[in-house]
Amino acid sequence: MTKDKKPEQKNENHRIDIKSFSEKLKDFSFRAALGGIRDKFLDIKNGFSESFKQDTSLKILSLVIAIGIWAVVSISVYPTMESVYYNVPVQISLENTYAEANQLSVMASSTDTVTVKLSGNRSQIGDIKAEDLTAVVDASSVMLPRTYKLSMNIECDKTAEFEVMSIEPSTVSVAFDKIISKELEITPQLENVRIADGYMSGDAVVTPSTVTVTGPQDTVNSITKVCARVSPEKELDSTYEFTTDELILYNGNAVISNDNDLISFDKNSFAIQIPVFVRQTLPLEVNIINAPDKFDLDYFRSRLVFSLNEIDIAAPNDKIKELKSLNIGTINMREVDVGSVFEFKAENFLPEGYENLTQIDSVTVTCPSDGIKKKAIAIKGKDIQFVNKPAQFEFDPVSSGMTLYVVGDEEQIDSITRDDITAQIDLIDFDMQEGDHKMSVGFIISSYDKVWFNGGDGVATPKIIVNATISKSDDTSGE
């Protein structure tokens, strides 16, 4: 039995070897086949590569074919697409809205652009660009002057169907207000302007003096002052004019910002003139008229009492330095009585353009009363002399006489008499007509130097009626 089994085992081992050989043969054949295909593919690839490297048109054709294949695949496989657009402009229109009807305007918005995400068919939105889109603000709910958070609608300049997936930011804050205009006076604001020693500046003058301010109602109504500002770092010793385009707005002492340019002005150039004056302190004096020929004016001036002896003034030029005193007016001696007081208004005696630094309205001058006396002297009509008398006329005072008042030093007044006074009428301007004429009487006093004539009853120069007739001798010669 053992012998019988050994051949079977030998046959079985033989079958296994044949099977193994067969499998190895198949594997060898497959590998040989693959090797041949690989070699063939490499030959084709190398040949194509050499042609591709040498032929540029083949490169371009390959690229076009690739893009075409990609486009076909994309449209076929992915027909819907999403696209994001940056810096899409925001548009705010108030046409046909309540805001327009209420005269509201846009003051400010929180953003000027948004980022938009769209979804749609590639054929619809594939060629849309950011500049084709507009984010239109919905202002239909705006009715009052305040800030609103408003939504937006996306509009496209091209005809296309799409879905808005998102807008960032999703809303925009917009401030609305009513625009008004108001005319305001301009105040000069001078910075870094210095005045030289010995000089002073007057009130600066702005030209034009007013400006019309246009802007939001609440802002314009809050303006309390408009200033034209200059800051030239300059020292002045004469009148100077600056120009500026800078206006500063104030609410009390607080500056109103106009950084967002919501406020506009109807003028943009302003001249600011700064008067510069020379300062001078001058003694006061008065002019004296109608004093007797030999009257001692120094004596009279020394007895005058001024309410203000000197005055501080400023003038727009250096001529003031040449002045030794300031004449405030005239005293007519025929109006001077014992202790007379004369008032002179500063507005009348200060030259135009001069500044009154003492800030007084008037100066009074009081005439002497101590040691001064007044005396009445009767002047008869027949004692009046006529000078420069035309030869063909005769003159006769109609009045019997007048009373003359003499004022002056008490001692001289006590000693003066009628004989010391000459009354005369000067006929140099006689009109050569017969009849009654009202003529002024002048007086001469030669022996006294501290007395003067006073018209009395407020009359500065006394007048009398004089009758003028053609002389008889002239009539006879004519016959």
Side-chain angles (χ1 to χ4, degrees):
M1 290 181 66
T2 304
K3 290 180 179 181
D4 292 337
K5 289 180 180 180
K6 285 182 179 179
E8 291 178 4
Q9 184 176 3
K10 184 177 180 180
N11 290 335
E12 185 177 348
N13 290 336
H14 181 71
R15 285 195 300 270
I16 291 172
D17 291 339
I18 293 174
K19 184 179 179 180
S20 174
F21 175 78
S22 177
E23 289 177 353
K24 288 180 179 180
L25 182 62
K26 288 180 181 180
D27 181 63
F28 174 79
S29 299
F30 180 74
R31 289 177 179 275
L34 284 178
I37 293 172
R38 183 187 64 184
D39 292 341
K40 191 67 175 175
F41 177 77
L42 288 174
D43 291 340
I44 294 172
K45 175 184 175 185
N46 291 334
F48 182 78
S49 298
E50 290 297 323
S51 298
F52 190 79
K53 289 179 181 178
Q54 296 176 6
D55 192 347
T56 303
S57 60
L58 187 60
K59 296 179 182 179
I60 297 173
L61 179 62
S62 300
L63 179 62
V64 171
I65 293 172
I67 292 174
I69 294 172
W70 174 82
V72 170
V73 172
S74 297
I75 294 173
S76 301
V77 179
Y78 304 105
T80 301
M81 65 175 291
E82 291 184 352
S83 186
V84 177
Y85 304 88
Y86 300 95
N87 298 318
V88 175
V90 175
Q91 182 185 84
I92 305 172
S93 175
L94 303 182
E95 187 176 357
N96 299 322
T97 64
Y98 290 112
E100 182 184 43
N102 292 334
Q103 299 179 332
L104 298 180
S105 298
V106 175
M107 297 296 100
S109 64
S110 59
T111 184
D112 295 326
T113 61
V114 294
T115 299
V116 177
K117 185 176 183 181
L118 301 182
S119 176
N121 192 288
R122 289 181 182 275
S123 62
Q124 294 289 318
I125 68 172
D127 61 347
I128 292 178
K129 300 179 179 60
E131 54 264 30
D132 299 324
L133 301 176
T134 304
V136 180
V137 175
D138 181 6
S140 59
S141 63
V142 176
M143 301 180 67
L144 299 174
R146 62 180 180 86
T147 299
Y148 292 79
K149 279 191 175 182
L150 302 175
S151 60
M152 292 167 282
N153 300 313
I154 302 301
E155 295 184 359
C156 183
D157 294 339
K158 296 181 178 179
T159 303
E161 294 183 3
F162 53 79
E163 180 182 357
V164 179
M165 303 302 292
S166 66
I167 303 174
E168 291 295 333
S170 59
T171 61
V172 58
S173 294
V174 184
F176 297 87
D177 205 342
K178 185 176 289 187
I179 300 298
I180 66 169
S181 295
K182 193 174 185 180
E183 186 178 39
L184 297 168
E185 187 174 344
I186 303 174
T187 302
Q189 182 172 321
L190 308 175
E191 299 176 4
N192 304 318
V193 178
R194 300 180 303 277
I195 306 301
D197 292 341
Y199 296 82
M200 63 164 290
S201 63
D203 294 332
V205 178
V206 182
T207 305
S209 60
T210 62
V211 64
T212 298
V213 181
T214 301
Q217 178 176 252
D218 290 344
T219 302
V220 172
N221 286 335
S222 70
I223 298 173
T224 58
K225 183 170 63 174
V226 179
C227 290
R229 177 178 177 268
V230 292
S231 53
E233 289 283 353
K234 190 173 183 65
E235 182 176 89
L236 304 181
D237 59 5
S238 62
T239 297
Y240 195 88
E241 184 172 282
F242 298 95
T243 57
T244 182
D245 60 358
E246 185 178 4
L247 291 179
I248 309 295
L249 307 178
Y250 288 92
N251 178 5
N253 294 324
V255 175
I256 298 174
S257 173
N258 191 30
D259 293 340
N260 50 12
D261 294 327
L262 295 179
I263 299 173
S264 62
F265 310 98
D266 67 332
K267 306 178 186 74
N268 56 18
S269 181
F270 306 90
I272 303 178
Q273 186 181 71
I274 305 176
V276 176
F277 300 95
V278 182
R279 300 184 63 169
Q280 188 84 324
T281 300
L282 296 174
L284 302 180
E285 66 174 17
V286 291
N287 187 35
I288 296 174
I289 62 172
N290 290 325
D293 290 341
K294 296 182 179 180
F295 185 67
D296 187 350
L297 287 176
D298 291 337
Y299 157 78
F300 183 74
R301 291 182 186 279
S302 67
R303 302 294 306 277
L304 297 176
V305 178
F306 288 76
S307 62
L308 186 71
N309 291 321
E310 60 184 20
I311 187 172
D312 291 329
I313 61 174
N317 52 60
D318 289 339
K319 289 184 178 180
I320 191 175
K321 293 181 178 179
E322 301 173 5
L323 296 177
K324 302 302 180 184
S325 62
L326 181 65
N327 192 305
I328 64 173
T330 298
I331 292 179
N332 187 344
M333 293 301 296
R334 294 178 182 173
E335 297 176 354
V336 177
D337 206 335
V338 178
S340 293
V341 178
F342 296 88
E343 183 179 25
F344 301 93
K345 296 290 187 181
E347 61 186 25
N348 296 328
F349 65 72
L350 278 178
E352 185 177 357
Y354 279 47
E355 289 284 335
N356 176 8
L357 305 183
T358 308
Q359 299 295 315
I360 51 97
D361 295 326
S362 63
V363 176
T364 60
V365 179
T366 304
C367 297
S369 58
D370 293 341
I372 301 298
K373 196 172 183 180
K374 182 177 182 180
K375 189 176 188 178
I377 297 177
I379 304 296
K380 295 179 181 181
K382 64 182 183 64
D383 295 330
I384 297 176
Q385 300 177 8
F386 294 91
V387 297
N388 298 315
K389 182 174 68 170
Q392 67 271 37
F393 280 88
E394 293 290 340
F395 297 90
D396 295 310
V398 174
S399 303
S400 59
M402 67 184 69
T403 300
L404 175 66
Y405 293 94
V406 183
V407 183
D409 178 76
E410 186 174 3
E411 291 183 2
Q412 293 191 7
I413 289 295
D414 287 339
S415 60
I416 197 169
T417 65
R418 163 66 189 83
D419 296 334
D420 296 316
I421 298 172
T422 301
Q424 63 181 24
I425 295 175
D426 191 349
L427 298 172
I428 190 68
D429 296 322
F430 179 61
D431 61 6
M432 308 299 287
Q433 298 292 325
E434 288 189 292
D436 292 340
H437 299 266
K438 197 171 186 179
M439 299 182 177
S440 298
V441 181
F443 303 95
I444 300 174
I445 185 168
S446 57
S447 302
Y448 301 91
D449 62 354
K450 293 183 177 62
V451 297
W452 63 90
F453 302 111
N454 176 267
D457 299 326
V459 179
T461 304
K463 294 184 178 182
I464 64 171
I465 303 298
V466 176
N467 180 260
T469 58
I470 296 177
S471 62
K472 292 180 181 180
S473 59
D474 191 65
D475 289 340
T476 304
S477 63
E479 294 176 356

